[in-house]
Amino acid sequence: MALGARATILHADLDAFYASVEQLVDPGLRAMPVAVGGGVVLAASYEAKAFGVRAGMPGRLARQLCPGLRFVGGHFREYQRLGDQVVDVLRDFTPLVERISIDEAFLDVAGSVHLFGSPVDIALEIRRRVRVEIGLPVSVGVASTKHLAKVASQVAKPDGIVVVEPGREQEFLDPLPVELLWGVGPVTQARLAATGIRTIGELATTSPRTLQRLLGEAVGHKLGSLAANLDPRPIETRRRARSVGAQSALGRRVATSELLRSALGYLADRVATRLRAAERAGRTITVRVRFTGMRSVTRSVTVPAPISTTLTLTELGVELAGAALADHPREREITLVAISVSNLVHEPALQLELPLDLDDERLRPGTASGSALWALDRAVDAARARFGRDAVGYAAVTFSDLGGVPDEFRELAQADRHTAQHARGSP
């Protein structure tokens, strides 16, 4: 943090957003334990969380923990509509709003204090307006950096406000658990705890070399910087997508060719569909494979012409994953696969090519085979738009065992993850 920094960064985070929307849509659910989902808990209200119900938990276990739990299917259009309304409220106070997911955003109010009062006054008014005009609870953190404001909003939950005054940042951070840091999940938390690091203060005093050996160079450097509140990132109001990707946790699975084709076919379908919806295509395809022990490897390839076809992306993904596994023959089990497309360009229409018998013809969308795949995907997209996503699909997607989450919720989550990855950046 620079000397003389002021606490003018706000992080507004809607509380238990999906479940809160359900309680807003159906007033009969208010003050009741609510879970969005069915076979799997996608989101839970604070009343349900009090019984130990958590997102990602099997529905059967959730019902055992909370016998009075009410499951609802989800109003996905309402999630988007109400999330957009909250962002509109935030923009009434400043144009410097960086939305990082459907239910949270950063604001820089340094230029707004002469109009609306202090940052704390602005935070209080935001909370009042969102509650009165929209009907949702929101927690707000106020601090001098984005990272610190986000941590403050987590401490403020539910339905509160926390202000971290300049000069007292480390005093605020040090006693907090490490899992409040952006990017610390259960696996990273367990690794840190195994070495006696449980608080942000303990993390901040750990040598960079130790953290990098424990977590890897990039993650170790990032978390060490965040623990010391070193975060110079400004608010970014506009950010063009630089890549589109999806990932899936697999548990511990033997890395068979059948698993790779099923998993990557499923993910490629998501990614390619999103590319086509945005009239985008990309030339660089990257696959990440994570082994047991959190060790990951990536492989990428840049093709001659931008692609957005599902089967081409699947084929390249399987080839890249196979290459990664071939380079690590001792690794038999994998826990996660991911695929992304970058080097994006605008692709509103298909440009046909002459049949020149080039070696890379299978990767070019304008050739006879490529244009057939291009047309097939658009036919699938049109059928899904009219009859629903389950109406038609590729076998690898239809028979994949990676489902269980409604497609509407998955698309919201993927969009959130994509935005958040760009927002995190490097501190």
Side-chain angles (χ1 to χ4, degrees):
M1 183 192 68
L3 293 176
R6 296 182 295 162
T8 59
I9 303 297
L10 276 57
H11 180 256
D13 194 353
L14 291 157
D15 298 319
F17 176 59
Y18 299 110
S20 294
V21 170
E22 298 303 326
Q23 292 174 323
L24 178 65
V25 171
D26 182 359
L29 297 176
R30 291 178 183 172
M32 294 184 62
V34 174
V36 180
V40 175
V41 175
L42 306 178
S45 67
Y46 280 103
E47 295 85 356
K49 291 179 180 180
F51 288 86
V53 177
R54 295 291 183 270
M57 176 180 291
R60 185 175 181 179
L61 176 58
R63 289 185 176 91
Q64 291 174 351
L65 293 173
C66 182
L69 186 64
R70 293 282 300 275
F71 271 93
V72 294
H75 292 78
F76 300 98
R77 291 184 179 178
E78 287 299 288
Y79 300 155
Q80 191 66 61
R81 182 182 69 85
L82 292 169
D84 291 345
Q85 286 186 5
V86 172
V87 172
D88 288 341
V89 170
L90 303 182
R91 289 185 174 131
D92 285 344
F93 293 92
T94 174
L96 299 179
V97 175
E98 178 183 348
R99 187 176 189 175
I100 61 171
S101 75
I102 193 173
D103 59 350
E104 58 180 318
F106 289 109
L107 305 80
D108 186 340
V109 298
S112 305
V113 293
H114 64 292
L115 293 174
F116 303 107
S118 70
V120 176
D121 292 334
I122 293 173
L124 291 170
E125 182 62 10
I126 286 172
R127 294 187 63 247
R128 185 195 69 80
R129 285 190 55 186
V130 171
R131 171 69 80 174
V132 172
E133 298 175 17
I134 302 174
L136 294 172
V138 60
S139 294
V140 181
V142 183
S144 56
T145 65
K146 290 166 68 172
H147 149 66
L148 195 58
K150 183 171 174 65
V151 172
S153 72
Q154 305 315 297
V155 175
K157 288 183 173 293
D159 198 17
I161 178 173
V162 166
V163 182
V164 183
E165 297 292 348
R168 307 190 66 177
E169 292 87 356
Q170 218 58 47
E171 176 186 344
F172 169 77
L173 283 173
D174 283 353
L176 296 177
V178 291
E179 56 264 33
L180 288 181
L181 287 180
W182 209 348
V184 176
V187 174
T188 301
Q189 178 188 353
R191 282 196 163 196
L192 292 171
T195 61
I197 303 172
R198 293 179 173 81
T199 68
I200 296 177
E202 291 168 343
L203 181 63
T205 57
T206 303
S207 73
R209 179 173 297 181
T210 299
L211 290 179
Q212 291 172 20
R213 185 175 65 251
L214 183 65
L215 304 173
E217 184 174 354
V219 174
H221 172 74
K222 182 181 76 172
L223 293 184
S225 297
L226 293 180
N229 194 37
L230 300 176
D231 182 14
R233 297 169 302 162
I235 299 296
E236 297 183 35
T237 57
R238 293 186 179 181
R239 185 168 44 248
R240 182 68 172 179
R242 291 172 289 186
S243 66
V244 176
Q247 66 181 32
S248 180
L250 304 173
R252 292 184 62 160
R253 305 276 291 273
V254 176
T256 64
S257 58
E258 291 79 10
L259 173 63
L260 292 178
R261 178 159 291 279
S262 174
L264 288 167
Y266 186 84
L267 297 175
D269 183 55
R270 257 73 191 166
V271 171
T273 299
R274 289 165 58 198
L275 284 170
R276 295 191 297 269
E279 295 186 342
R280 306 274 276 172
R283 294 180 57 232
T284 300
I285 294 84
T286 302
V287 165
R288 178 164 64 98
V289 178
R290 189 173 72 194
F291 304 118
T292 56
M294 287 296 289
R295 183 187 179 196
S296 296
V297 295
T298 61
R299 294 292 182 271
S300 64
V301 63
T302 298
V303 295
I307 63 170
S308 64
T309 50
T310 297
L311 292 181
T312 305
L313 184 56
T314 300
E315 181 181 346
L316 288 170
V318 171
E319 290 178 2
L320 290 170
L325 292 169
D327 291 341
H328 297 81
R330 295 185 179 181
E331 301 286 356
R332 297 182 52 83
E333 294 182 326
I334 59 176
T335 62
L336 177 144
V337 290
I339 188 168
S340 65
V341 179
S342 56
N343 233 336
L344 302 182
V345 298
H346 188 49
E347 187 193 50
L350 180 63
Q351 180 66 46
L352 296 177
E353 298 183 23
L354 293 173
L356 300 177
D357 294 325
L358 298 176
D359 292 338
D360 59 3
E361 182 171 316
R362 69 186 180 95
L363 302 177
R364 291 181 176 275
T367 62
S369 59
S371 61
L373 293 178
W374 194 91
L376 175 61
D377 279 336
R378 268 101 188 137
V380 170
D381 294 341
R384 287 173 168 176
R386 183 173 181 182
F387 301 110
R389 189 175 184 91
D390 294 334
V392 63
Y394 296 97
V397 177
T398 303
F399 299 109
S400 172
D401 61 357
L402 301 183
V405 177
D407 287 312
E408 299 93 337
F409 198 94
R410 188 182 297 276
E411 293 300 328
L412 286 174
Q414 286 178 345
D416 285 359
R417 186 184 305 119
H418 167 71
T419 305
Q421 284 171 345
H422 286 294
R424 280 196 292 268
S426 299

